[in-house]
Structures are given as C-alpha cells and as structure tokens.
Amino acid sequence: MTTNTTTGQFIGYARVSTDDQEAQLQRDALTGAGCARIFEDKASGKNTDRPQLAAVLDYARAGDVLCVWKLDRLGRSLIDLVSIVDGLRKRGIGFRVLDGALSSVDTTSADGRLFFQIIAAMAEFERALIKDRTRAGLEAAKAQGRTGGRPAVVDEDILTAARARKAKGESVSTIAKALGVSRATLYRHLGKSA
C-alpha cells in the first residue's frame, strides 16, 4: 500500500450551479494561484450532493491549502461554510479565498484566521437567531392552540370502534386493516387490553 504524499500543496475547488455555466474563470484563477489539482462540481449551492466537494475534502492532507475562487463556491450558507472550514482547520488544512469581498480569508495567515473567526462568530449568531425564532414561533402557535408534529392517526372515534371490535373477539390485525391504521399504532393506542 502506498501512502499519499500530497502535503503542502494548493488544491482547488470550483463549482458552477448549472450545466449551462462554465467554470473556466474559476479554473484559471485556481491554476494561477498554484493549485496542483482542481476538483469541480456542477451543482446548485443548495444541493447537498456535491461529490467533488466530498472528494476534495477526502483528498486534502495536513499542510495542504484548499483554495476557492469566491467564498460562495464552497458552502450553502454561512453555517455550512464555517462547518467545512472548521473541519479543515482541525485536520491541519488551510483555506484560502482568491477573489471577491472576502478574499482576505486565508487561514494560513494570522489576519486570515482572525477574519475567519469573525465570520464564525457571525455564523454562531445566525444559528442562535434561528433557534430563537423557531422557539418564538412554536410558543406563538401554542398560545393559539396549535401544536407541532403530525396529526394523530387514531382519534377517539377510531379508538371506540377498535375497542368495540376487540371486545367482539376480532384480532388486532383485522381491526387495523378495517380501520386503515397500522397494527403497531393500534396496539399502542389499545394498550394492555390488546
């Protein structure tokens, strides 16, 4: 078995959203930055299935630097970006943005690490806001008498019919089929009497 000796190289990741788009501009920038290898996806940023992103993350080794043309080419959201870059940092892999408003992100330098920590703090703030809004929404719905989750499959009418049929000696399987519910659900609602 041979060991991978890719330590210390720049590796590029490019992404375009549709098949109609061309990644040549990104490839040129990544090649110009000295990337030894470039991985490329054609997928929307919202798409979680980005096989070449998974491949580049698997390929990169401690000491390497993952480069992207612009920050939005890497992640689906600020939280997603921070998660990916933090995973790289933990593995000893640097990260560098080549162009755009956030081109000062270069985790191989002290300034870049500081800047990325500010971005990470913003992502954490965004995460907290999402939790707060979700909690507030649930509380408002509860105050209006609404609760989350799926509606109950077995209401009181179905349960009464099931108990009556069970009292007549029908099997739970037969009752469940006749009432249009699963046996497990019916067993759960009938309790010990089943």
Side-chain angles (χ1 to χ4, degrees), residues 5-193:
T5 57
T6 59
T7 300
Q9 66 179 342
F10 282 3
I11 305 165
Y13 175 71
R15 181 183 61 78
V16 291
S17 299
T18 65
D19 287 332
D20 297 339
Q21 293 177 327
E22 181 57 47
Q24 190 61 50
L25 181 63
Q26 294 178 55
R27 283 194 298 269
D28 290 347
L30 293 166
T31 301
C35 291
R37 184 161 175 194
I38 299 171
F39 294 76
E40 184 180 326
D41 273 320
K42 288 194 178 188
S44 166
K46 295 178 181 176
N47 188 345
T48 57
D49 182 29
R50 292 178 284 167
Q52 291 302 302
L53 177 59
V56 73
L57 294 176
D58 184 55
Y59 178 80
R61 299 291 180 257
D64 291 345
V65 177
L66 176 62
C67 299
V68 294
W69 176 54
K70 290 189 177 181
L71 193 59
D72 67 345
R73 300 296 85 199
L74 184 64
R76 298 174 293 139
S77 67
L78 189 56
I79 294 170
D80 189 38
L81 284 167
V82 169
S83 176
I84 292 169
V85 176
D86 194 46
L88 292 170
R89 181 193 56 79
K90 288 177 182 173
R91 294 172 50 205
I93 300 165
F95 176 68
R96 185 171 170 208
V97 180
L98 303 179
D99 195 19
L102 299 174
S103 60
S104 56
V105 173
D106 180 353
T107 63
T108 63
S109 72
D111 292 347
R113 283 191 299 275
L114 173 64
F115 189 64
F116 191 75
Q117 287 173 350
I118 292 168
I119 293 172
M122 291 169 55
E124 185 60 36
F125 178 67
E126 180 183 8
R127 219 178 271 126
L129 285 177
I130 291 168
K131 286 180 184 177
D132 289 347
R133 282 189 295 245
T134 302
R135 191 175 313 117
L138 290 172
E139 288 172 6
K142 189 175 180 179
Q144 294 174 355
R146 294 180 290 142
T147 56
R150 286 178 53 186
V153 175
V154 177
D155 59 17
E156 201 53 47
D157 291 339
I158 291 176
L159 193 53
T160 301
R163 286 183 180 135
R165 293 177 88 148
K166 182 70 177 143
K168 291 180 184 177
E170 285 187 54
S171 73
V172 173
S173 296
T174 304
I175 299 167
K177 189 173 184 178
L179 297 177
V181 297
S182 74
R183 283 183 334 160
T185 299
L186 196 54
Y187 271 116
R188 190 170 50 252
H189 283 83
L190 289 175
K192 293 179 182 172
S193 63

